[in-house]
Amino acid sequence: MARVRMKDIAREAGVSRGAVSFALNDRPGVSEETRRRVKQVAAEMGWSPSAAALALSSRQARAVGLVIASSNDSFASESFFLRLISGIERSLQPLNFSLVLQVVPDLEAEAAACRTWWAEGRVDGVLLVNPQLDDPRAALMAELGMPGVVVGGSWPGERLAGLPTDDRGAMRQVVEHLAAQGHRRVAYVLGRGGLDHTRVRQEVFEQVAHAAGLHPEVSAFTDVTEDSGRRETARLLQLDARPTAIVYDNEILALGGMAGVQAAGLACPDDVAIVSCEDSPICRVVQPGITSLVRDPALLGQMATDRLLELLAGQPPTEGPAPTPELAVRASTLSP
């Protein structure tokens, strides 16, 4: 089907192409009746503005960049990023902005992608995920003068905004729930090393556990795959004082952990309770259902994108953190 152009709308509406341009761009030069008729004809014909023309007229790429440093296997298995992207698109689509997405193996490749995009004018700004301690991307953004929003943190910079997440409050809920269930030996299977949210979760996990008189055990960092969840669970269950409850950094690790508990001849939750720091439909339908921290990654993506769009419009970005995740208690931590 051929793309509908302004000359087609002009012919159908019985006006000049100039009148169509004035009407569709809300510029003076035509009567309100003509403007209304032209817009109605355009809608009926399925017209939409050209992204290239919009970019040329505004001197913007009308595009937002997102680079995710992750292995392809990990990216494909984590529902968090897919839901985050859906929220990003929710804010971009009404404004005819595009999302430029790239999955790369590490931060060095992410920095190279951002440099290329900015040099070529392919994006107007970027969304930065998985902030780290002493993150090199903070200096990169300052060097480039590139607008950006840090999803899950906040860095200083005139053209940077943040969207912090409350990982402290979230993990506190988890440990206090396990303590209330009578657990005294608890463990935490970590996600990737270097990430701010994993560091904060581990810190709070140990602090709150010690304060409640619990004995915490922490695993090595993992690649957040099902296999690594299974392996770390097997190691923890071989300890002389094995944990009676294990917290996992995401739902994929938790599924591997559940398999590891079964392979050890134990049952969940009777022998080992399981908690995931990320929720997904899998956590709700698997038996037993997995107690999880519930947040809306789509809302996170939408909030971050809205802040970036405010920056691009020359406005001060909205401040404040994302909503604190809430613990959804399910059968995996409720012993009979």
Side-chain angles (χ1 to χ4, degrees):
M1 183 176 179
R3 175 180 173 83
V4 177
R5 301 183 182 280
M6 286 193 179
K7 65 179 182 180
D8 304 317
I9 300 170
R11 184 176 59 251
E12 187 70 20
V15 297
S16 68
R17 280 200 280 181
V20 171
S21 178
F22 288 148
L24 294 179
N25 289 294
D26 288 321
R27 293 164 55 192
V30 294
S31 68
E32 287 306 313
E33 173 59 25
T34 299
R35 191 186 311 278
R36 183 197 62 76
R37 187 170 74 257
V38 167
K39 288 187 174 183
Q40 180 178 347
V41 169
E44 291 171 352
M45 296 181 71
W47 176 85
S48 61
S50 163
L54 286 171
L56 184 62
S57 64
S58 64
R59 295 185 179 180
Q60 288 184 316
R62 298 191 70 82
V64 166
L66 172 64
V67 187
I68 300 173
S70 172
S71 70
N72 287 328
D73 289 343
S74 294
F75 172 72
S77 65
E78 291 185 73
S79 66
F80 173 85
F81 285 120
L82 298 179
R83 294 157 66 195
L84 181 81
I85 290 168
S86 73
I88 295 170
E89 290 286 5
R90 190 185 299 165
S91 287
L92 294 181
Q93 287 177 356
L95 300 177
N96 289 306
F97 267 68
S98 299
L99 174 65
V100 181
L101 172 67
Q102 191 168 345
V103 179
V104 298
D106 51 41
L107 285 186
E108 184 177 350
E110 178 175 345
C114 288
R115 283 185 182 277
T116 300
W117 287 350
W118 191 240
E120 295 179 353
R122 293 181 59 191
V123 301
D124 300 310
V126 291
L127 298 167
L128 302 148
V129 296
N130 286 338
Q132 303 190 12
L133 186 65
D134 298 324
D135 200 306
R137 292 173 294 176
L140 173 69
M141 297 298 290
E143 174 194 339
L144 297 178
M146 189 181 194
V149 172
V150 184
V151 183
S154 183
W155 302 335
E158 291 184 5
R159 307 195 76 187
L160 281 176
L163 180 59
T165 50
D166 186 10
D167 293 292
R168 291 186 177 277
M171 183 57 82
R172 178 176 295 276
Q173 294 179 68
V174 170
V175 180
E176 289 178 348
H177 168 67
L178 294 176
Q181 291 295 306
H183 294 281
R184 289 297 173 263
R185 297 186 303 278
V186 296
Y188 178 28
V189 175
L190 301 171
R192 297 186 186 90
L195 300 184
D196 262 0
H197 73 262
T198 301
R199 176 185 58 82
V200 170
R201 288 173 181 176
Q202 177 183 352
E203 180 182 294
V204 175
F205 174 80
E206 294 179 308
Q207 286 177 350
V208 178
H210 284 305
L214 278 59
H215 302 284
E217 179 78 22
V218 177
S219 80
F221 292 114
T222 70
D223 59 359
V224 294
T225 61
E226 190 176 343
D227 283 344
S228 59
R230 186 184 296 109
R231 286 195 303 271
E232 284 303 315
T233 300
R235 184 189 67 80
L236 290 168
L237 296 180
Q238 289 172 0
L239 296 175
D240 291 337
R242 66 172 175 83
T244 61
I246 305 177
V247 182
Y248 297 86
D249 216 36
N250 74 0
E251 76 278 18
I252 304 301
L253 288 170
L255 288 174
M258 189 168 283
V261 169
Q262 294 171 352
L266 301 173
C268 171
D270 295 356
D271 301 309
V272 183
I274 286 178
V275 180
S276 170
C277 289
E278 298 289 347
D279 191 41
S280 76
I282 293 174
C283 295
R284 299 190 288 273
V285 301
V286 72
Q287 294 296 324
I290 299 176
T291 293
S292 306
L293 283 167
V294 177
R295 60 176 169 175
D296 185 356
L299 176 61
L300 202 63
Q302 184 175 5
M303 291 176 68
T305 305
D306 288 344
R307 292 188 184 184
L308 180 55
L309 292 172
E310 289 169 352
L311 273 176
L312 298 181
Q315 304 170 7
T318 304
E319 296 183 356
T324 301
E326 295 184 2
L327 188 67
V329 178
R330 302 187 180 109
S332 68
T333 58
L334 296 178
S335 297

